[in-house]
Amino acid sequence: MADFNGTRDSNVAISTDNANRKVLILDTITNFDDGVGNTDSAEGRFDLGGTDSTSNPTKFGGNVESSGFYTFANTLSLDAIYDVTLGAKLGMSSEDEYDLFDSGRGATQFEDAKAPFDGSPEVQAGAEIQVGFSDTSLASITNFRKIAQQTTLKGRFFKFRAKLTCDNAKVRSKVHDLKFTVNFEKRVDTKEDIVSSASGTTVSYNSSFFAIPSLSIMGQGMAVGDFFTLSSKTKDGFTIRFFNSSSVGISRTFDYQAQGFGLKS
């Protein structure tokens, strides 16, 4: 269950749902003590502190904010610019808290009433996870875009937020789970026919990896007893030196194959 330790704008509040989970919801537009109407009215000030509908003053209207944002506590800062694949997981339910029991829930006969009695889904509320990204700093991120089921972006710094929406001022989305996933492209870096120096040769990958990759070396023309050592193995490259059976440095031609994650731009 999410803790929601990030920051919320003034339109987003924290509550609990019917499963006793902590949830993000859109706040009401007006408070109970700011409302108008009689407290003993069937559809008055007790109904979520709402306001009367401007189109029909005799009919109680909605009081839910149209949108709001929750910004994740976690951000992503990389050591360089990479191609990053992001995923999103969002768990939510929705409820029309203005479809009131004492007003018939939109039906003349009690047995004809709609959800939750007959299970009709709510379609007027939603939520999505968005990402903002930059090559320079977290502070420079001002624009955000929706993360689809899987989105690949190029950047170094990433911020995440959730956008909650309500289309009719009545239906609330209740978000109980928010997660983002980060994946780096799996790739292979190779070079062939590299001639090494007897004193050792430093090789740089065509593009740096996010982390140190697995490395395979294929020596050519190796005599019995020849061997090589690797040093300074990093996500950017490695140093190799060949020796003969007497442990004397020699020159050899070799190929390599490095396999890992992260395409550095």
Side-chain angles (χ1 to χ4, degrees):
M1 185 168 63
D3 291 325
F4 302 121
N5 294 323
T7 58
R8 296 172 282 116
D9 69 15
S10 59
N11 288 354
V12 176
I14 291 180
S15 182
T16 55
D17 64 7
N18 293 334
N20 202 32
R21 297 173 295 194
K22 185 181 291 187
V23 292
L24 293 174
I25 61 171
L26 287 172
D27 208 346
T28 52
I29 298 171
T30 59
N31 297 321
F32 169 78
D33 52 4
D34 294 330
V36 295
N38 298 321
T39 57
D40 58 352
S41 172
E43 294 178 344
R45 297 175 69 183
F46 281 117
D47 293 317
L48 298 180
T51 57
D52 289 338
S53 169
T54 56
S55 60
N56 184 356
T58 64
K59 178 64 178 176
F60 185 77
N63 190 33
V64 177
E65 296 283 0
S66 61
S67 65
F69 294 94
Y70 166 80
T71 302
F72 285 52
N74 295 326
T75 59
L76 176 63
S77 297
L78 305 176
D79 63 346
I81 299 171
Y82 291 90
D83 289 339
V84 180
T85 299
L86 302 171
K89 178 181 179 182
L90 189 151
M92 63 162 279
S93 60
S94 62
E95 183 177 1
D96 187 343
E97 295 168 325
Y98 290 86
D99 196 1
L100 304 173
F101 178 88
D102 55 9
S103 63
R105 302 189 65 84
T108 303
Q109 301 295 325
F110 177 82
E111 62 268 22
D112 294 332
K114 51 183 183 173
F117 301 112
D118 292 336
S120 300
E122 307 294 355
V123 295
Q124 300 296 326
E128 65 184 36
I129 297 178
Q130 300 179 338
V131 59
F133 51 100
S134 169
D135 296 344
T136 55
S137 69
L138 289 171
S140 65
I141 297 174
T142 56
N143 296 318
F144 289 79
R145 57 177 289 183
K146 178 182 178 180
I147 300 178
Q149 186 174 7
Q150 183 169 290
T151 300
T152 300
L153 301 170
K154 188 186 300 292
R156 181 176 177 183
F157 300 94
F158 300 83
K159 283 183 180 179
F160 303 87
R161 72 182 186 185
K163 180 181 181 181
L164 283 66
T165 58
C166 173
D167 294 335
N168 66 355
K170 295 181 179 181
V171 182
R172 270 182 169 151
S173 54
K174 298 185 175 183
V175 177
H176 59 81
D177 192 16
L178 283 176
K179 294 178 182 177
F180 66 85
T181 60
V182 179
N183 295 292
F184 293 93
E185 178 183 347
K186 187 175 183 179
R187 65 185 184 87
V188 175
D189 190 297
T190 62
K191 284 183 182 177
E192 300 177 348
D193 300 328
I194 303 172
V195 179
S196 70
S197 167
S199 58
T201 298
T202 297
V203 177
S204 296
Y205 297 131
N206 295 305
S207 179
S208 298
F209 291 85
F210 176 69
I212 298 175
S214 62
L215 181 64
S216 298
I217 303 293
M218 290 73 72
Q220 302 177 26
M222 301 284 283
V224 175
D226 288 354
F227 65 96
F228 65 85
T229 61
L230 293 173
S231 61
S232 302
K233 185 181 174 183
T234 70
K235 61 188 183 65
D236 301 308
F238 60 93
T239 298
I240 187 170
R241 188 179 182 187
F242 287 84
F243 299 88
N244 62 20
S245 58
S246 300
S247 297
V248 175
I250 56 176
S251 174
R252 285 289 183 265
T253 300
F254 69 97
D255 308 331
Y256 80 80
Q257 177 177 290
Q259 182 172 298
F261 294 89
L263 179 59
K264 185 176 178 182
S265 298

